[in-house]
Amino acid sequence: MLHLSLSLYPSGLPIVPVTVSTTTPMVEVRENSDAVLSCDFRTEKEPNPRIEWKKKGTDVSFVYYEGQFRGAFAGRARIKGATVTLQRVTQKDAGEYRCEITAPHDTITLGETNITLTVLVPPHTPTCEIPSSALTGSMVQLRCMEQQSIPPATYSWYKDDKPLTPSRMANATYHLNPFTGILEFKSVARGDTGQYSCLASNKVGQSKMCEAKHMKIEDVNTAGVIAAVVVICLVIAICGFGGYYAHRNGYFSRHKGRSFWIPQCHGVAHISSQNLHRTEDKTNANYNPPPQDPADFKHTQSFML
């Protein structure tokens, strides 16, 4: 990338002011290796231009300023001319850098060029979510995740140490997405029982595989389901019959009093339980008898000649 500005002398002759360029505007290196950020410049007549390196982000920070490396780059970077070498780079070093050359004695005093650094990271061991069991006919998803690799990893699944290929057939029993890491069975069968594992890969380093886990597919216990339904129906029937029997025998009705007949000489007296309670209440000195209903007390006599 070359930034070039032309200007004219009063005589009309063109001049070439300070120019700044790079041979590698895009730099990709593996994590923990060295990154070379090239910066070449040429001045019109300034013998000692000022060299500065900055890193863009939410804020612009100095990398190299006033002849020294700053911040996290102090002690692990070197400069030759205007080209900077960063040692043992990490993901935190990734981003956009700018080389600035200032030549106070030139007609145009400032020139700059930009370089983007990408730090490549090999896959780490992925995290796998594999159910231990499932019922035949159910939908099952197996998940594989790895979020640290750059560029992002792609995924492949293995069953009993044999690769499962992404199927493009409409009637396939499973669907494998190599970018999301999801292995989905539309309707599992007993033949899907086995040891499953997932491999995460990218172009940077060695692929990594999660620990294999066993998934067992079991048939639905039809007899057990039928027995459970029968038991529930019997319980409902017994509860309903018990409620009907209790209602029929008056366990749910309210009784204000009971009446009975007792013999009295040659007649019969009809005494209600309410009258009995009134008799008991009269033992209290402060008792005030309530008004009586003629229907509460009946007395019949018969005479024999």
Side-chain angles (χ1 to χ4, degrees):
M1 182 179 295
L2 177 65
H3 292 264
L4 178 64
S5 300
L6 297 179
S7 61
L8 298 176
Y9 279 120
S11 61
L13 296 175
I15 62 170
V16 180
V18 59
T19 59
V20 183
S21 63
T22 181
T23 57
T24 53
M26 305 291 294
V27 177
E28 291 186 351
V29 295
R30 291 188 57 174
E31 189 177 33
N32 296 318
S33 62
D34 295 349
V36 178
L37 310 181
S38 70
C39 181
D40 301 317
F41 67 91
R42 186 176 63 182
T43 62
E44 177 188 354
K45 50 187 174 182
E46 176 62 57
N48 296 309
R50 185 173 73 241
I51 301 172
E52 294 179 0
W53 276 90
K54 299 176 182 177
K55 185 175 186 290
K56 296 181 180 180
T58 53
D59 297 318
V60 177
S61 59
F62 280 105
V63 176
Y64 182 81
Y65 179 69
E66 294 184 343
Q68 292 182 347
F69 287 97
R70 304 288 177 168
F73 301 97
R76 64 179 189 94
R78 62 180 184 269
I79 189 169
K80 184 177 181 180
T83 296
V84 166
T85 300
L86 305 179
Q87 300 172 331
R88 304 180 303 278
V89 295
T90 65
Q91 294 185 53
K92 293 181 179 180
D93 298 325
E96 187 174 350
Y97 292 79
R98 184 170 67 223
C99 174
E100 296 181 357
I101 305 297
T102 304
H105 293 92
D106 285 14
T107 307
I108 296 178
T109 61
L110 178 65
E112 62 183 36
T113 188
N114 295 313
I115 301 172
T116 300
L117 172 63
T118 301
V119 179
L120 305 177
V121 181
H124 290 62
T125 301
T127 300
C128 295
E129 296 179 0
I130 303 170
S132 58
S133 63
L135 296 177
T136 55
S138 61
M139 190 274 287
V140 177
Q141 282 189 347
L142 283 67
R143 297 178 178 271
C144 184
M145 294 167 287
E146 197 284 320
Q147 299 178 343
Q148 299 181 359
S149 59
I150 299 175
T154 56
Y155 305 96
S156 53
W157 279 92
Y158 288 75
K159 178 192 174 186
D160 298 330
D161 297 327
K162 296 180 181 179
L164 296 174
T165 57
S167 179
R168 296 179 176 85
M169 299 177 61
N171 60 347
T173 59
Y174 66 87
H175 175 71
L176 195 161
N177 190 324
F179 303 104
T180 64
I182 295 178
L183 173 61
E184 179 178 287
F185 292 88
K186 299 177 182 178
S187 178
V188 291
R190 295 188 65 180
D192 296 320
T193 296
Q195 292 280 119
Y196 288 85
S197 57
C198 171
L199 184 71
S201 308
N202 69 4
K203 65 180 182 180
V204 180
Q206 183 178 1
S207 300
K208 293 296 182 65
M209 178 177 286
C210 69
E211 182 180 358
K213 297 180 181 179
H214 185 76
M215 182 176 72
K216 183 179 181 180
I217 309 301
E218 300 174 320
D219 291 330
V220 178
N221 188 355
T222 307
V225 173
I226 294 175
V229 172
V230 171
V231 170
I232 292 174
C233 292
L234 287 175
V235 171
I236 293 174
I238 292 172
C239 291
F241 178 77
Y244 170 76
Y245 179 81
H247 179 73
R248 183 177 179 183
N249 287 273
Y251 290 106
F252 297 148
S253 61
R254 296 180 179 177
H255 300 279
K256 295 182 179 179
R258 291 180 298 174
S259 61
F260 51 91
W261 297 88
I262 59 175
Q264 187 178 26
C265 296
H266 297 288
V268 178
H270 178 267
I271 306 298
S272 68
S273 60
Q274 293 176 352
N275 292 334
L276 292 176
H277 289 304
R278 293 192 187 104
T279 303
E280 294 172 355
D281 293 338
K282 289 180 180 179
T283 59
N284 190 345
N286 297 325
Y287 173 75
N288 293 321
Q292 296 185 355
D293 188 346
D296 291 338
F297 181 81
K298 294 181 182 181
H299 181 212
T300 58
Q301 291 182 334
S302 61
F303 297 91
M304 295 180 65
L305 298 178

Short mmCIF file of all heavy atoms in Angstrom, two decimals, residues 163-189:
data_model
loop_
_atom_site.label_atom_id
_atom_site.label_comp_id
_atom_site.label_asym_id
_atom_site.label_seq_id
_atom_site.Cartn_x
_atom_site.Cartn_y
_atom_site.Cartn_z
N PRO A 163 -16.14 -42.07 10.43
CA PRO A 163 -16.70 -40.74 10.15
C PRO A 163 -18.12 -40.82 9.61
O PRO A 163 -18.46 -41.71 8.81
CB PRO A 163 -15.74 -40.15 9.12
CG PRO A 163 -15.11 -41.34 8.46
CD PRO A 163 -15.02 -42.41 9.51
N LEU A 164 -18.95 -39.88 10.04
CA LEU A 164 -20.29 -39.70 9.49
C LEU A 164 -20.21 -38.58 8.45
O LEU A 164 -19.83 -37.46 8.76
CB LEU A 164 -21.29 -39.33 10.58
CG LEU A 164 -21.55 -40.38 11.65
CD1 LEU A 164 -22.46 -39.80 12.74
CD2 LEU A 164 -22.20 -41.62 11.05
N THR A 165 -20.55 -38.89 7.23
CA THR A 165 -20.46 -37.89 6.16
C THR A 165 -21.74 -37.06 6.11
O THR A 165 -22.83 -37.59 6.34
CB THR A 165 -20.24 -38.58 4.81
OG1 THR A 165 -21.30 -39.50 4.57
CG2 THR A 165 -18.91 -39.33 4.80
N PRO A 166 -21.62 -35.75 5.82
CA PRO A 166 -22.83 -34.93 5.66
C PRO A 166 -23.69 -35.47 4.53
O PRO A 166 -23.24 -35.60 3.39
CB PRO A 166 -22.28 -33.54 5.33
CG PRO A 166 -20.88 -33.55 5.85
CD PRO A 166 -20.40 -34.95 5.70
N SER A 167 -24.92 -35.84 4.84
CA SER A 167 -25.81 -36.47 3.86
C SER A 167 -26.67 -35.41 3.19
O SER A 167 -27.23 -34.53 3.83
CB SER A 167 -26.70 -37.51 4.53
OG SER A 167 -27.57 -38.09 3.59
N ARG A 168 -26.77 -35.50 1.87
CA ARG A 168 -27.61 -34.59 1.10
C ARG A 168 -28.89 -35.26 0.61
O ARG A 168 -29.65 -34.69 -0.15
CB ARG A 168 -26.83 -34.04 -0.09
CG ARG A 168 -25.64 -33.17 0.32
CD ARG A 168 -24.88 -32.67 -0.90
NE ARG A 168 -23.81 -31.76 -0.51
CZ ARG A 168 -22.61 -32.14 -0.15
NH1 ARG A 168 -22.30 -33.42 -0.11
NH2 ARG A 168 -21.69 -31.25 0.19
N MET A 169 -29.12 -36.50 1.04
CA MET A 169 -30.32 -37.23 0.62
C MET A 169 -31.52 -36.76 1.42
O MET A 169 -31.44 -36.51 2.63
CB MET A 169 -30.10 -38.73 0.80
CG MET A 169 -28.95 -39.29 -0.01
SD MET A 169 -28.67 -41.05 0.29
CE MET A 169 -30.24 -41.72 -0.22
N ALA A 170 -32.67 -36.64 0.74
CA ALA A 170 -33.88 -36.14 1.40
C ALA A 170 -34.37 -37.10 2.47
O ALA A 170 -34.98 -36.68 3.46
CB ALA A 170 -34.96 -35.89 0.36
N ASN A 171 -34.15 -38.40 2.29
CA ASN A 171 -34.64 -39.40 3.26
C ASN A 171 -33.57 -39.81 4.26
O ASN A 171 -33.67 -40.86 4.90
CB ASN A 171 -35.15 -40.63 2.51
CG ASN A 171 -34.04 -41.29 1.66
OD1 ASN A 171 -32.99 -40.70 1.46
ND2 ASN A 171 -34.32 -42.49 1.16
N ALA A 172 -32.53 -39.01 4.42
CA ALA A 172 -31.47 -39.34 5.37
C ALA A 172 -32.01 -39.31 6.79
O ALA A 172 -32.86 -38.49 7.13
CB ALA A 172 -30.31 -38.37 5.22
N THR A 173 -31.48 -40.20 7.64
CA THR A 173 -31.96 -40.27 9.02
C THR A 173 -31.30 -39.22 9.91
O THR A 173 -31.75 -39.01 11.03
CB THR A 173 -31.67 -41.67 9.60
OG1 THR A 173 -30.26 -41.91 9.56
CG2 THR A 173 -32.40 -42.74 8.80
N TYR A 174 -30.24 -38.58 9.44
CA TYR A 174 -29.57 -37.56 10.24
C TYR A 174 -29.12 -36.41 9.33
O TYR A 174 -29.01 -36.55 8.11
CB TYR A 174 -28.38 -38.14 10.99
CG TYR A 174 -27.24 -38.61 10.10
CD1 TYR A 174 -26.25 -37.73 9.68
CD2 TYR A 174 -27.17 -39.93 9.67
CE1 TYR A 174 -25.21 -38.14 8.86
CE2 TYR A 174 -26.13 -40.36 8.87
CZ TYR A 174 -25.16 -39.47 8.45
OH TYR A 174 -24.14 -39.88 7.65
N HIS A 175 -28.85 -35.27 9.99
CA HIS A 175 -28.34 -34.09 9.28
C HIS A 175 -27.15 -33.56 10.05
O HIS A 175 -27.24 -33.32 11.26
CB HIS A 175 -29.40 -33.01 9.15
CG HIS A 175 -28.89 -31.73 8.54
ND1 HIS A 175 -28.54 -31.62 7.22
CD2 HIS A 175 -28.64 -30.52 9.10
CE1 HIS A 175 -28.10 -30.39 6.97
NE2 HIS A 175 -28.15 -29.71 8.09
N LEU A 176 -26.02 -33.35 9.36
CA LEU A 176 -24.78 -32.89 9.99
C LEU A 176 -24.41 -31.53 9.42
O LEU A 176 -24.25 -31.37 8.22
CB LEU A 176 -23.66 -33.90 9.75
CG LEU A 176 -22.39 -33.79 10.60
CD1 LEU A 176 -21.62 -35.11 10.55
CD2 LEU A 176 -21.46 -32.68 10.09
N ASN A 177 -24.27 -30.54 10.31
CA ASN A 177 -23.85 -29.20 9.90
C ASN A 177 -22.39 -29.00 10.31
O ASN A 177 -22.09 -28.87 11.50
CB ASN A 177 -24.74 -28.13 10.54
CG ASN A 177 -24.49 -26.74 9.96
OD1 ASN A 177 -23.37 -26.38 9.63
ND2 ASN A 177 -25.55 -25.96 9.84
N PRO A 178 -21.45 -28.95 9.34
CA PRO A 178 -20.03 -28.86 9.70
C PRO A 178 -19.63 -27.50 10.26
O PRO A 178 -18.55 -27.37 10.84
CB PRO A 178 -19.31 -29.13 8.37
CG PRO A 178 -20.30 -28.73 7.32
CD PRO A 178 -21.65 -29.04 7.88
N PHE A 179 -20.48 -26.49 10.12
CA PHE A 179 -20.14 -25.14 10.59
C PHE A 179 -20.68 -24.87 12.00
O PHE A 179 -20.06 -24.15 12.78
CB PHE A 179 -20.66 -24.09 9.61
CG PHE A 179 -20.14 -24.28 8.21
CD1 PHE A 179 -20.95 -24.81 7.22
CD2 PHE A 179 -18.83 -23.96 7.89
CE1 PHE A 179 -20.48 -25.00 5.93
CE2 PHE A 179 -18.35 -24.14 6.60
CZ PHE A 179 -19.17 -24.67 5.62
N THR A 180 -21.83 -25.42 12.33
CA THR A 180 -22.38 -25.26 13.68
C THR A 180 -22.02 -26.41 14.60
O THR A 180 -22.11 -26.28 15.83
CB THR A 180 -23.90 -25.13 13.63
OG1 THR A 180 -24.47 -26.34 13.11
CG2 THR A 180 -24.32 -23.97 12.73
N GLY A 181 -21.63 -27.55 14.05
CA GLY A 181 -21.26 -28.70 14.88
C GLY A 181 -22.45 -29.49 15.39
O GLY A 181 -22.29 -30.31 16.29
N ILE A 182 -23.64 -29.30 14.81
CA ILE A 182 -24.84 -30.00 15.28
C ILE A 182 -25.09 -31.23 14.41
O ILE A 182 -25.14 -31.14 13.18
CB ILE A 182 -26.07 -29.07 15.23
CG1 ILE A 182 -25.89 -27.91 16.22
CG2 ILE A 182 -27.34 -29.84 15.58
CD1 ILE A 182 -27.02 -26.91 16.21
N LEU A 183 -25.24 -32.37 15.08
CA LEU A 183 -25.63 -33.62 14.43
C LEU A 183 -27.05 -33.93 14.90
O LEU A 183 -27.27 -34.15 16.09
CB LEU A 183 -24.68 -34.76 14.81
CG LEU A 183 -25.05 -36.16 14.34
CD1 LEU A 183 -25.13 -36.24 12.82
CD2 LEU A 183 -24.08 -37.19 14.90
N GLU A 184 -28.00 -33.92 13.99
CA GLU A 184 -29.41 -34.07 14.36
C GLU A 184 -30.00 -35.32 13.71
O GLU A 184 -29.87 -35.53 12.51
CB GLU A 184 -30.20 -32.84 13.92
CG GLU A 184 -31.69 -32.92 14.24
CD GLU A 184 -32.44 -31.66 13.84
OE1 GLU A 184 -32.27 -30.64 14.52
OE2 GLU A 184 -33.18 -31.71 12.83
N PHE A 185 -30.64 -36.13 14.56
CA PHE A 185 -31.39 -37.30 14.09
C PHE A 185 -32.88 -36.94 14.10
O PHE A 185 -33.42 -36.57 15.14
CB PHE A 185 -31.15 -38.51 15.00
CG PHE A 185 -29.74 -39.06 14.93
CD1 PHE A 185 -28.75 -38.56 15.76
CD2 PHE A 185 -29.42 -40.06 14.03
CE1 PHE A 185 -27.46 -39.05 15.71
CE2 PHE A 185 -28.13 -40.56 13.97
CZ PHE A 185 -27.14 -40.05 14.81
N LYS A 186 -33.51 -37.06 12.96
CA LYS A 186 -34.95 -36.75 12.89
C LYS A 186 -35.77 -37.76 13.67
O LYS A 186 -36.75 -37.40 14.34
CB LYS A 186 -35.40 -36.72 11.42
CG LYS A 186 -34.69 -35.67 10.59
CD LYS A 186 -35.14 -35.75 9.13
CE LYS A 186 -34.40 -34.72 8.28
NZ LYS A 186 -34.79 -34.82 6.85
N SER A 187 -35.39 -39.03 13.59
CA SER A 187 -36.10 -40.09 14.30
C SER A 187 -35.11 -41.22 14.56
O SER A 187 -34.81 -42.01 13.66
CB SER A 187 -37.29 -40.59 13.47
OG SER A 187 -37.97 -41.64 14.13
N VAL A 188 -34.60 -41.30 15.79
CA VAL A 188 -33.55 -42.28 16.07
C VAL A 188 -34.11 -43.69 16.09
O VAL A 188 -35.28 -43.92 16.43
CB VAL A 188 -32.85 -41.97 17.41
CG1 VAL A 188 -32.04 -40.71 17.32
CG2 VAL A 188 -33.86 -41.88 18.55
N ALA A 189 -33.26 -44.63 15.73
CA ALA A 189 -33.59 -46.05 15.77
C ALA A 189 -32.55 -46.78 16.61
O ALA A 189 -31.51 -46.20 16.98
CB ALA A 189 -33.65 -46.62 14.35
#
